[in-house]
């Protein structure tokens, strides 16, 4: 077990704290933003500005003088985490998917956010990790220390790790577990919100979802890193490096994979859509409509490019910089 009973007790106490319950109820009333660059009237593209998008198991620390918003989505049993230094306004956001990455992940996030002031206060927001084990209308207070599912162990580990650190944290949003769960007419649970954006100038956090035009740059390679990183000991217990804070460039750190990934991809590609949901998702009934297509596109790339050095020649990162029209363009990493 990667968390202790103290972690679970802390989680339950926070989930029942009146101020956090009120904050979660208020968060539920906020209209979810649909982030797109397609230009349709339902998007918020015109007000987004410079965006940094985070995929699963990635993190990014952003400077508010360089970036307008940072965000993530596609979370079901994963948890989106945002930490903001109130004084410097530096923000780090992550998409955590396993208790194994929490301790090192928080250290990575805080490496450019924390300062030397022992009295510095850091705002924390947690969104995601829906209740994937409790039946509808259950008494959530009767939570067992030994838990099934994915969301509860991850949430318990995050709050325990925050509690054990020396920095001072103020939790502003705890929209996780039953606070972030809805049930359909058949009693099947799913998340209310799958993601968020943080406005860097104010620290305001807003529920959000993205489309393919904004889950970028280099979507497929970044998705492959999520599933292939278990073959690369470099990333054991760590979040994936993705963004260079000082230069405002996306710098996708290399990840090694073997021919085994091609063999796995070929087998999985032959499955039906229903089988893919069953075998490849931690929450098959809660995935978005793009899940299967995203998996198939990832496997197609691995089948066509089984050698990881094609993606990362000389084990160098894939670097992208912003263009004048707001998109990303790949550049030579030695520039």
């Amino acid at each position: 077990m990667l968390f202790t009973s103290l972690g679970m007790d802390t989680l339950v106490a926070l989930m029942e704290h009146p101020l956090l319950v009120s904050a979660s109820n208020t968060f539920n009333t906020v209209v979810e933003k649909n982030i797109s660059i397609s230009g349709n009237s339902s998007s918020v593209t015109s007000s987004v500005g410079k965006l940094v998008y985070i995929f699963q198991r990635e993190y990014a620390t952003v400077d508010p003088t360089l970036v307008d918003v940072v965000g993530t989505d596609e979370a079901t049993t994963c948890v989106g985490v945002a930490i903001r230094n109130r004084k410097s306004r530096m923000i780090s956001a992550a998409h955590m998917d396993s208790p194994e990455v929490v301790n090192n992940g928080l250290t990575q996030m805080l490496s450019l956010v924390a300062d030397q002031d022992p009295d510095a206060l850091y705002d924390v927001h947690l969104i995601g990790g829906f209740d994937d084990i409790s039946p509808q209308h259950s008494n959530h207070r009767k939570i067992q220390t030994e838990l099934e599912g994915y969301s509860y162990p991850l949430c318990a580990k995050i709050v325990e790790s925050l509690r054990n650190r020396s920095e001072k944290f103020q939790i502003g949003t705890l929209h996780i577990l039953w606070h972030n769960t809805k049930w359909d007419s058949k009693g099947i649970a799913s998340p209310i919100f799958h993601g968020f954006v943080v406005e860097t100038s104010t620290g305001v956090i807003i529920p959000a979802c993205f489309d393919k035009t904004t889950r970028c740059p280099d979507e497929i390679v970044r998705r492959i890193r999520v599933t292939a990183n278990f073959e690369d000991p470099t990333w054991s217990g760590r979040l994936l490096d993705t963004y260079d804070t000082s230069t405002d460039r996306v710098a996708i750190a290399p990840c090694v994979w073997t021919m085994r990934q091609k063999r796995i991809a070929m087998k999985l590609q032959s499955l039906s859509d229903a089988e893919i949901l069953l075998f490849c998702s931690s929450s098959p009934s809660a995935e978005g409509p793009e899940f299967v297509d995203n998996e198939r596109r990832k496997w197609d790339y691995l089948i066509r490019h089984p050698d990881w050095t094609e993606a990362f020649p000389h084990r160098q990162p894939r670097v992208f910089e912003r263009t004048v029209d707001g998109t990303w363009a790949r550049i030579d990493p030695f520039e």
Side-chain angles (χ1 to χ4, degrees), residues 32-197:
E32 184 178 59
K33 300 294 185 181
N34 299 304
I35 313 297
S36 173
I37 61 172
S38 61
N40 63 60
S41 59
S42 65
S43 74
V44 294
T45 307
S46 60
S47 61
V48 165
K50 294 182 178 179
L51 164 71
V52 172
Y53 180 82
I54 304 163
F55 282 95
Q56 182 177 336
R57 196 169 279 217
E58 293 183 344
Y59 83 102
T61 300
V62 300
D63 184 334
T65 65
L66 299 175
V67 175
D68 298 310
V69 290
V70 57
T72 189
D73 71 340
E74 299 187 314
T76 55
T77 56
C78 298
V79 176
V81 182
I83 303 175
R84 181 178 187 260
N85 184 320
R86 287 189 178 180
K87 183 178 179 181
S88 69
R89 299 187 297 128
M90 293 286 287
I91 297 172
S92 192
H95 187 131
M96 294 193 176
D97 61 355
S98 168
E100 284 103 348
V101 302
V102 171
N103 281 335
N104 288 336
L106 289 174
T107 297
Q108 289 173 274
M109 294 176 71
L110 287 161
S111 63
L112 293 178
V113 172
D115 54 36
Q116 301 301 313
D117 183 359
D119 296 319
L121 190 60
Y122 304 92
D123 292 317
V124 177
H125 304 277
L126 306 179
I127 293 95
F130 80 111
D131 186 344
D132 60 337
I133 64 170
S134 299
Q136 190 174 8
H137 308 309
S138 66
N139 185 348
H140 303 288
R141 291 173 182 158
K142 296 180 179 179
I143 300 175
Q144 302 299 316
T145 301
E146 297 288 346
L147 290 173
E148 298 177 355
Y150 295 89
S151 299
Y152 279 87
L154 176 57
C155 292
K157 182 62 178 179
I158 292 171
V159 298
E160 179 180 39
S161 298
L162 288 169
R163 177 172 181 158
N164 290 340
R165 293 190 64 93
S166 61
E167 296 90 354
K168 297 179 180 179
F169 300 105
Q170 178 72 49
I171 297 181
T173 310
L174 195 66
H175 200 71
I176 57 175
L177 303 177
W178 61 87
H179 292 323
N180 188 40
T181 303
K182 59 184 178 183
W183 285 267
D184 65 15
S185 60
K186 297 179 181 179
I188 297 175
S190 61
I192 298 172
F193 299 124
H194 292 258
F196 64 84
V197 289

Side-chain angles (χ1 to χ4, degrees), residues 234-287:
T234 303
W235 300 113
S236 178
R238 299 180 61 219
L239 295 172
L240 297 164
D241 290 330
T242 303
Y243 175 75
D244 188 320
T245 306
S246 61
T247 62
D248 186 34
R249 289 177 172 177
V250 169
I252 303 165
C255 179
V256 174
W257 60 80
T258 67
M259 287 296 294
R260 179 186 178 190
Q261 292 295 322
K262 178 180 179 179
R263 294 193 292 270
I264 293 173
M266 293 178 70
K267 290 180 179 179
L268 293 174
Q269 195 70 285
S270 67
L271 298 178
S272 67
D273 290 0
E275 289 172 326
I276 290 172
L277 279 168
L278 182 63
F279 294 126
C280 301
S281 171
S282 62
S283 51
S285 63
E287 294 293 354

Side-chain angles (χ1 to χ4, degrees), residues 318-333:
R318 296 166 67 91
V319 181
F320 296 77
E321 67 178 7
R322 297 186 194 275
T323 62
V324 292
D325 62 358
T327 59
W328 295 94
R330 190 175 177 187
I331 64 170
D332 187 328

